[in-house]
Amino acid sequence: MPVSLIITLVTEIIGESRGLGFFVTFATSSFQYARALAAFFVIAVLGFILDRVLTYARDRIVFWQASGPMI
């Protein structure tokens, strides 16, 4: 999950004209550092939520395996 989120953001930075990656690039190049920091915060919260959803789904699907952090 973390790798897929990173790849998505990098491709948005490189070749898109919308999305969080583009927003971060645009905000930093426009010297709007508060907006860039807010976008980083949104990315961090999104990553945390996606991680929790994936962990919950894994625990429900593979119920016979001990619960714990994904490796």
Side-chain angles (χ1 to χ4, degrees), residues 26-47:
F26 179 76
T28 55
S29 65
S30 301
F31 302 107
Q32 298 174 352
Y33 298 115
R35 288 183 182 211
L37 188 60
F40 285 131
F41 180 74
V42 169
I43 291 168
V45 169
L46 181 65

